[in-house]
Each structure stands twice: as structure tokens, then as C-alpha cells.
């Protein structure tokens, strides 16, 4: 998907997803803090997305691990997003929430999650635009919302804020002439 | 990657493009016609009204060699009518100036940057493409040529806020099937909204990318699994012929 040098794509790759080992692997026990032992069959471990994806998908025969949807995309979160997207603290769930969501959706086909993510991104974007144009909003009552933005949304806020600021700067420069 | 500027034009660039617009000036001094690369400028004979590009008009105004006649849509009366239209119509922006009738002899049609939409003869009831930039620049350089410059300034500010909030609300309607009607949005407004609207569309595209990919795969599968595809139809028709 992203470019090789895309820092956000790299950081998304390093987010943890829960995995269940299907086979006993000798010497891998350190992954769950068991320094010398083996990884038992059926044990659940949080692995980075890149490793989990590789182990779960790349082997053609029986896969080594099975991926489970991460807690950030659990039904509880989806219900909260459906109820009111503006009240959910996405950053606490995952710093790259939408990127993680799209990566997971490439693996699991979940029409409903796509729909929920789509809707919440849109309605949160409208609030972000309002905050970006209202210099007091980001500090006052909007502070909680702003703290809960994921990385994509932060970039969106910065873009909206910078362009509004550029127009304001142009108008004040005009007066100086 | 190396270019630090975001895509699109910066406000000073948009203002620079706006300076090509023609405005009507009332000269106070004689000036012979100038041969410039962009074309010939008419000679100035006070007190005859002459259309000049905005950049020259602003220069002459600063040197007190001319007065600028604000375009009719920049009057408090027209602006308040447009503002009322904007507040009443929740969807869509106020319409752009009407295009002149097509010239009958040749097929070349003039479009906004080459139309005199800001001279004294412009339509009073519509905002041209460069309304915000032109209004701000005229108010700054030639406030004394307006009848009621404070009121005009206030109305411009109001218009700008109403229209920007419409643009921002529009992202909630964005979807695979539809969007917002952006006819009549001005140059500076496009420049201001571009980064945000583009970012939203990019984000949405990423979210639904996997769904699109799955849909495409499914269609491809259906085609390969013996559903009648268009290619088969073509073959049948060929045989019948």
C-alpha cells in the first residue's frame, strides 16, 4: 500500500494484534516472557501486525498462527462509534486507528466495519474542520476531542488549520503594504 | 517530497492571478497607451472611464493618479442580497455571473478569467471567481472610493464565513455516489478548502479501498465462473453475422 519510506505505514505495521499459535514452536517462548521455554499450541500472544500477518498468511500449508481482530476494532468500539463518533478517543485505542483498520479489513472481510469507519471518519472530519477554523475551540471545550484524534485526523487538522492561517496571513500582509 | 508547499496555490499566488482582472478606473492624469506583452493598454484621458488590469489600477491608485470604480456587485445592496440568498439556500452557492451569448461568427467562447466580471459594467447580482481576493484588495488600496467601505467589509466577511461553513459541512455528504455541488466557489475559497477536502477524500478512499478490491475480485471471479460476460456476447454476434 504505502510508500517504502512512509513513516506512518511503518508505525502501523508495528501495532500489536492478538494471535493464537496453532502449533507448538520450540524456543519461541520468549515472545510471551517465558525465556527458555517453548511456545505452546493455543497460546495467545500480541504480535506486531507485520509479523502476525506474515505468519498467518504467507505459508500455504497449515498456518502457524491465526489472527484475531484487534481490540481497537472490537464490537464494543464499533457500537460506540455508531452511537456517537465524536465521543470516542481513537488515539487511546490505536495511534494509527484508520490505517490499522484498513490493514485488518484487507485480511478480514467485514462490510459493517468498513461502513462504520467510513461514517465516523466523515462526521469527525466535519468537527475537525470546525475546530481548525475556530482558534479557541481547540483549547476550550474541544480539547478532549482533539486529544482523541488518530494520526490521519491530526494531519487533516493541520492541513485545514494551515490553509486557513495562510489566507489570514495574506489578508494581514495586504494591510501592511 | 522536496517541495515544502502543499499542492494547489498559496493565497499570494491566487491574489497574483487575480491581478489580471480588469477593473474600471477614473484617471486623474493623462497617460499614453502602453504596449505590454499581455496586450495593448488603452490611453488614459481624464475623466473618461477606462478598463485596466487590477495590478496597474492599484499602482496608479497608490500614486494618486487614478480612482478605482468598484464593480457593482461590491456594493452593500448587492452584497446583502447575495448574503441573504446564501443563508436561505442551505445547499449550493450563489450562481456565477452569466456568460455572454456565444459569438456567432467563430466558435471561441470566453470564460471567466477573460471576461470583464469586475468592471463597472459587470452584473450586479453575482459573485465572480475572484470575488474575495478582489474585494479585499480593493478595500485595502481604495477604501475611499467605496460609498460605505465598512459595511462592504462586514458583508464580505459574512459571505466568506457562510460559504466556508457550507464547504466544510459538505464533507459529511461525500460518498462513493455523490458529493457537494461546488459551482460558484471562488478561487481563494478553493485554495483554502483544497487541503482539507482533499485530505478527507484521501482518507475515505483508503478506508473503502479494501472493499473496492474485494468487489473487483468478486466480479472477476463471477466472470470467470461461466456467467455470461460481454466477451461471449460479442462472439455470438459475430457468428450470427
Amino acid at each position: 500500500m504505502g510508500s517504502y519510506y512512509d513513516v506512518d505505514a511503518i508505525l502501523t505495521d508495528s501495532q500489536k494484534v492478538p494471535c493464537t499459535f496453532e502449533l507448538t514452536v520450540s524456543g519461541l517462548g520468549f515472545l510471551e516472557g517465558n525465556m527458555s521455554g517453548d511456545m505452546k499450541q493455543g497460546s495467545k500472544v500480541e504480535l506486531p501486525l507485520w509479523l502476525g500477518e506474515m505468519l498467518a498468511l504467507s505459508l500455504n500449508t497449515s498456518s502457524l498462527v491465526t489472527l484475531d481482530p484487534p481490540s481497537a476494532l472490537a464490537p464494543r468500539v464499533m457500537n460506540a462509534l455508531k452511537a456517537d463518533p465524536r465521543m470516542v478517543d481513537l488515539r487511546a485505542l490505536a495511534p494509527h486507528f484508520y490505517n490499522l483498520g484498513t490493514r485488518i479489513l484487507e485480511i478480514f472481510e467485514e462490510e459493517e466495519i468498513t461502513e462504520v469507519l467510513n461514517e465516523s471518519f466523515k462526521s469527525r472530519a466535519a468537527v475537525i474542520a470546525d475546530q481548525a477554523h475556530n482558534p479557541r475551540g481547540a483549547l476550550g471545550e474541544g480539547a478532549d476531542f482533539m486529544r482523541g484524534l488518530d494520526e490521519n485526523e491530526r494531519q487533516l487538522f493541520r492541513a485545514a488549520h494551515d490553509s486557513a492561517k495562510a489566507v489570514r496571513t495574506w489578508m494581514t500582509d495586504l494591510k501592511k503594504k | 517530497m522536496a517541495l515544502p508547499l502543499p499542492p494547489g496555490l498559496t493565497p499570494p499566488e491566487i491574489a497574483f492571478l487575480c491581478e489580471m482582472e480588469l477593473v474600471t478606473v477614473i484617471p486623474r492624469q493623462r497617460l499614453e497607451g502602453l504596449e505590454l506583452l499581455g496586450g495593448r493598454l488603452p490611453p488614459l484621458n481624464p475623466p473618461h472611464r477606462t478598463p485596466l488590469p487590477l495590478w496597474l489600477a492599484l499602482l496608479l491608485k497608490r500614486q494618486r493618479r487614478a480612482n478605482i470604480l468598484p464593480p457593482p456587485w461590491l456594493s452593500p445592496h448587492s452584497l446583502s442580497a447575495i448574503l441573504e440568498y446564501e443563508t436561505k439556500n442551505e445547499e449550493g452557492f450563489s450562481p456565477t455571473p452569466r456568460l455572454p451569448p456565444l459569438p456567432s461568427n467563430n466558435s471561441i467562447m470566453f470564460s471567466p478569467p477573460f471576461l470583464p466580471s469586475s468592471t463597472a459594467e459587470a452584473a450586479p447580482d453575482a459573485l465572480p471567481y475572484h470575488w474575495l481576493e478582489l474585494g479585499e484588495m480593493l478595500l485595502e488600496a481604495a477604501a475611499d472610493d467605496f460609498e460605505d467601505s465598512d459595511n462592504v467589509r462586514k458583508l464580505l466577511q459574512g459571505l466568506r464565513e457562510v460559504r466556508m461553513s457550507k464547504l466544510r459541512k459538505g464533507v459529511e455528504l461525500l460518498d462513493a455516489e455523490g458529493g457537494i455541488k461546488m459551482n460558484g466557489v471562488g478561487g481563494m475559497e478553493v485554495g483554502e478548502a483544497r487541503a482539507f477536502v482533499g485530505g478527507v477524500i484521501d482518507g475515505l478512499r483508503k478506508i473503502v479501498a479494501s472493499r473496492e478490491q474485494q468487489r473487483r475480485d468478486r466480479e472477476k471471479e463471477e466472470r470467470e465462473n461461466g456467467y455470461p460476460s460481454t466477451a461471449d456476447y460479442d462472439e455470438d454476434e459475430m457468428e450470427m453475422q
Side-chain angles (χ1 to χ4, degrees):
Chain A
M1 279 286 281
S3 143
Y4 182 79
Y5 296 105
D6 186 356
V7 178
D8 289 316
I10 297 169
L11 289 174
T12 312
D13 258 342
S14 68
Q15 300 207 31
K16 298 285 174 63
V17 286
C19 300
T20 318
F21 271 81
E22 297 290 315
L23 300 167
T24 306
V25 188
S26 60
L28 260 190
F30 65 88
L31 281 181
E32 43 175 11
N34 179 3
M35 270 311 162
S36 52
D38 299 343
M39 178 66 76
K40 297 277 180 343
Q41 183 178 359
S43 48
K44 282 184 186 291
V45 195
E46 296 259 312
L47 292 180
L49 182 58
W50 62 269
L51 182 60
E53 198 179 16
M54 214 151 70
L55 294 178
L57 297 180
S58 66
L59 298 173
N60 288 334
T61 51
S62 64
S63 54
L64 192 58
V65 303
T66 48
L67 275 182
D68 301 314
S71 58
L73 297 172
R76 189 177 48 83
V77 179
M78 289 300 124
N79 283 336
L81 278 178
K82 259 189 261 175
D84 188 357
R86 290 149 205 231
M87 297 305 291
V88 183
D89 184 352
L90 293 186
R91 199 167 189 80
L93 295 169
H96 291 78
F97 179 79
Y98 291 107
N99 286 354
L100 180 69
T102 39
R103 290 291 297 275
I104 293 296
L105 285 171
E106 280 171 24
I107 304 170
F108 304 100
E109 291 192 24
E110 289 280 357
E111 279 286 316
E112 198 194 340
I113 295 185
T114 318
E115 206 47 54
V116 173
L117 289 188
N118 204 356
E119 285 305 317
S120 37
F121 186 72
K122 269 192 273 184
S123 54
R124 286 169 71 96
V127 187
I128 291 170
D130 281 342
Q131 304 280 20
H133 285 259
N134 175 7
R136 259 171 305 159
L139 300 172
E141 71 267 36
D144 281 341
F145 174 75
M146 298 303 296
R147 220 171 286 135
L149 294 185
D150 101 315
E151 208 52 48
N152 270 358
E153 291 174 327
R154 284 199 174 183
Q155 283 168 11
L156 202 59
F157 175 78
R158 194 164 297 143
H161 180 79
D162 284 352
S163 49
K165 194 174 147 205
V167 174
R168 267 206 304 278
T169 318
W170 172 74
M171 282 185 181
T172 41
D173 281 353
L174 211 59
K175 293 194 177 73
K176 280 184 204 148
K177 271 186 202 162
Chain B
M1 218 181 246
L3 192 67
L5 290 174
L9 298 177
T10 61
E13 285 167 346
I14 298 168
F16 178 79
L17 291 179
C18 169
E19 291 185 2
M20 200 172 68
E21 290 277 324
L22 293 180
V23 290
T24 305
V25 300
I26 307 171
R28 291 194 195 170
Q29 284 183 1
R30 289 178 59 87
L31 182 70
E32 287 180 19
L34 294 169
E35 293 285 353
L36 298 182
L37 277 180
R40 189 184 156 74
L41 296 181
L44 299 184
N45 279 327
H48 292 290
R49 295 176 175 188
T50 322
L52 280 187
L54 179 62
W55 60 268
L56 185 59
L58 289 179
L59 195 75
L60 293 177
K61 171 72 194 172
R62 285 205 191 96
Q63 296 175 347
R64 298 174 195 282
R65 289 167 201 263
N67 282 6
I68 299 177
L69 210 62
W73 51 263
L74 213 48
S75 68
H77 177 72
S78 314
L79 283 181
S80 39
I82 297 173
L83 183 59
E84 198 190 318
Y85 179 93
E86 291 276 359
T87 12
K88 264 190 195 158
N89 285 37
E90 290 281 318
E91 289 162 20
F93 300 85
S94 64
T96 47
R98 275 180 300 282
L99 292 175
L102 262 178
S104 51
N105 46 359
N106 59 16
S107 58
I108 300 172
M109 203 173 96
F110 281 117
S111 57
F114 306 104
L115 282 175
S117 56
S118 306
T119 56
E121 288 82 42
D125 55 349
L127 294 177
Y129 185 66
H130 282 300
W131 66 275
L132 182 58
E133 310 81 292
L134 195 113
E136 289 287 331
M137 278 194 266
L138 283 188
L139 277 174
E140 215 36 67
D144 49 334
D145 290 337
F146 283 84
E147 274 173 31
D148 189 358
S149 62
D150 285 342
N151 207 358
V152 171
R153 201 180 304 251
K154 218 183 295 162
L155 284 167
L156 270 188
Q157 193 62 29
L159 263 177
R160 174 164 177 244
E161 268 161 29
V162 170
R163 289 163 64 101
M164 278 314 287
S165 83
K166 268 188 208 172
L167 266 182
R168 268 179 268 147
K169 264 197 213 106
V171 300
E172 284 185 83
L173 308 171
L174 280 176
D175 210 346
E177 297 96 46
I180 32 168
K181 210 173 168 201
M182 282 181 60
N183 298 12
V185 177
M188 194 60 88
E189 293 168 297
V190 171
E192 191 173 353
R194 180 193 301 269
F196 173 71
V197 175
V200 173
I201 293 179
D202 241 15
L204 289 180
R205 191 178 49 81
K206 271 189 213 153
I207 291 174
V208 297
S210 62
R211 189 169 62 179
E212 286 293 311
Q213 187 59 42
Q214 283 158 16
R215 196 175 52 85
R216 237 171 281 148
D217 288 349
R218 213 164 31 234
E219 278 173 7
K220 197 178 162 205
E221 222 168 80
E222 280 175 7
R223 232 177 295 141
E224 282 167 2
N225 288 351
Y227 280 85
S229 71
T230 47
D232 290 342
Y233 277 132
D234 289 345
E235 275 171 24
D236 288 350
E237 276 173 21
M238 297 250 286
E239 279 167 17
M240 274 157 75
Q241 283 166 2

